[in-house]
Amino acid sequence: MTAPRTARPPTGPGPAPRTFADAAAAVLAATGPAEIFPADPAETARRYRRLARLLHPDTVSTADRTRATAAFLALGRLWAQHQGPADAGVTELRTGRHTYRLGPVAATGDIAVLRAATTGSGTEVLLKIPRSALDNDLLEREATALGRLARHGDRRFHAYVPALLENFRHQDTADPGGAPRQVNALVRRDGLRPLTDVLAAHPDGLDPRDAAWIWRRLLVALGYAHRAGVRHGAVLPEHVLVHPAEHGLVLVDWCYAGTGAPAPAPALVERHRALYPPEVPARQAVTEATDIHLATRCIQLLMGDRAPRQVRAFIAGCTLPAEPRRPHDAWKLLAELDELLHALYGPRTFRPFHLPPTA
């Protein structure tokens, strides 16, 4: 049985930095991509992936997280200068439907760069562009999933997932001989923060009463998706965005989603291997129970040791190793969670929630 593709292969050329400290020092001192990336395209890709693995804030100690964040963002900017449309002086992208005026790189993820842009009608979007055309299939999966949710999902819950404006192929002018890359244009929403920010702000664990609203909304997002025939496949902390003040939640990065008969995940995020249930690394089918397991592990990370005994038992039932024994119906599970929360804390009340501003 073949191993699953990983979203960030841990390979790199010999002269690449071997430690976090060396990688951070090199990237933060660089004034341009030529100081970081070798000329050979294959070596460049390996060097980038190795640096990204060393510098990702989720992989370092709490003491190094601020420096890791700065270095990871700097690496994204250097990569965008080297590989993305901006390094060729492109200021606009035109499709059959829209003209996009390009802004800066807004974020970098495991397989893609998010580029801020504005349409001719003034809609603010994020253009999700894979770093490699080899990952076009993952962007196509996301477009298929979001399109199905828009057509078949309950309209009351559309805000729980990104809105896909369009998807198209783009030929990078900096790499005219390369394969075109799939681009997903996603409507931009402000004020959202990933669960990684919540984890960083609460290293000793989040109050379970605050984790409760995140848990509830995450189950709503999954219930909405599953009823529409979509399984996310990678419910991980950086893919769960929350709006602290409004208690909103958006589940993003549908590149690993499945919409047909249950099948193995197309990829896994290597640094989060320990969060996945056994069926994913074993190349078995991803089901609704897979998503529920991953979502529960996210909430478990948030609460840490602060989860009361009854909640720990609930979590254990949602993360059983055997996929058939886990819950499969997110809506039913939400009702059971509400009963548990009521027994522990009484009627629901709104608790203001704040996160410190990003650096």
Side-chain angles (χ1 to χ4, degrees):
M1 182 175 292
T2 59
R5 175 170 44 152
T6 58
R8 202 181 286 283
T11 57
R18 296 178 180 272
T19 67
F20 164 73
D22 290 344
V27 169
L28 291 172
T31 59
E35 298 175 30
I36 294 295
F37 303 119
D40 183 273
E43 290 297 311
T44 296
R46 284 193 284 269
R47 174 69 61 88
Y48 171 79
R49 288 168 178 150
R50 181 172 182 83
L51 288 170
R53 180 174 63 85
L54 289 171
L55 295 174
H56 198 285
D58 290 350
T59 66
V60 302
S61 67
T62 301
D64 289 330
R65 191 162 290 158
T66 298
R67 183 170 175 80
T69 299
F72 191 72
L73 291 173
L75 177 65
R77 290 190 293 269
L78 291 166
W79 180 256
Q81 292 171 24
H82 174 81
Q83 181 98 345
D87 61 358
V90 175
T91 60
E92 286 187 349
L93 289 181
R94 294 177 181 268
T95 72
R97 297 174 57 189
H98 297 283
T99 296
Y100 298 96
R101 182 165 295 278
L102 303 181
V105 171
T108 57
D110 292 292
I111 61 171
V113 171
L114 291 173
R115 185 80 182 271
T118 306
T119 69
S121 62
T123 301
E124 293 187 358
V125 301
L126 293 172
L127 298 180
K128 189 171 184 177
I129 308 170
R131 298 190 185 97
S132 169
L134 295 175
D135 288 323
N136 278 347
D137 63 314
L138 298 181
L139 273 290
E140 290 168 354
R141 276 179 173 266
E142 177 172 70
T144 298
L146 294 179
R148 182 175 181 86
L149 289 171
R151 293 190 305 272
H152 302 292
D154 189 325
R155 290 183 175 275
R156 292 176 296 171
F157 307 114
H158 280 350
Y160 282 82
V161 302
L164 179 70
L165 188 63
E166 68 168 327
N167 60 298
F168 56 93
R169 289 295 178 102
H170 166 63
Q171 179 65 60
D172 187 352
T173 57
D175 184 21
R181 284 181 279 172
Q182 173 83 17
V183 180
N184 291 345
L186 307 169
V187 178
R188 183 166 188 163
R189 296 170 61 181
D190 294 327
L192 295 169
R193 305 279 293 277
L195 287 194
T196 49
D197 285 2
V198 182
L199 288 165
H202 297 273
D204 297 324
L206 184 64
D207 189 313
R209 294 171 295 176
D210 293 318
W213 71 260
I214 299 175
W215 200 350
R216 294 189 74 259
R217 282 155 179 74
L218 187 49
L219 287 175
V220 170
L222 292 180
Y224 161 70
H226 295 166
R227 286 280 173 87
V230 182
R231 297 166 299 279
H232 186 277
V235 186
L236 301 168
E238 59 266 42
H239 299 162
V240 180
L241 308 184
V242 297
H243 194 295
E246 298 179 3
H247 283 200
L249 182 143
V250 181
L251 183 57
V252 303
D253 204 341
W254 294 78
C255 291
Y256 312 90
T259 55
L268 61 79
V269 180
E270 181 62 36
R271 68 178 180 279
H272 286 311
R273 179 178 285 267
L275 295 182
Y276 285 92
E279 63 266 21
V280 177
R283 299 291 291 150
Q284 297 168 357
V286 169
T287 70
E288 292 79 5
T290 308
D291 283 348
I292 288 173
H293 177 289
L294 287 166
T296 306
R297 294 286 279 121
C298 287
I299 302 302
Q300 184 181 28
L301 287 176
L302 284 184
M303 291 187 288
D305 295 335
R306 300 186 65 177
R309 174 182 55 82
Q310 299 93 323
V311 172
R312 292 198 300 271
F314 193 92
I315 288 171
C318 295
T319 56
L320 292 168
E323 184 274 337
R325 297 182 60 196
R326 278 182 245 132
H328 287 65
D329 188 328
W331 290 117
K332 182 178 178 181
L333 187 64
L334 175 59
E336 295 173 0
L337 176 62
D338 282 344
E339 291 179 3
L340 173 61
L341 295 173
H342 188 276
L344 288 172
Y345 303 115
R348 290 204 304 269
T349 58
F350 183 86
R351 287 171 55 86
F353 186 69
H354 304 285
L355 285 178
T358 55

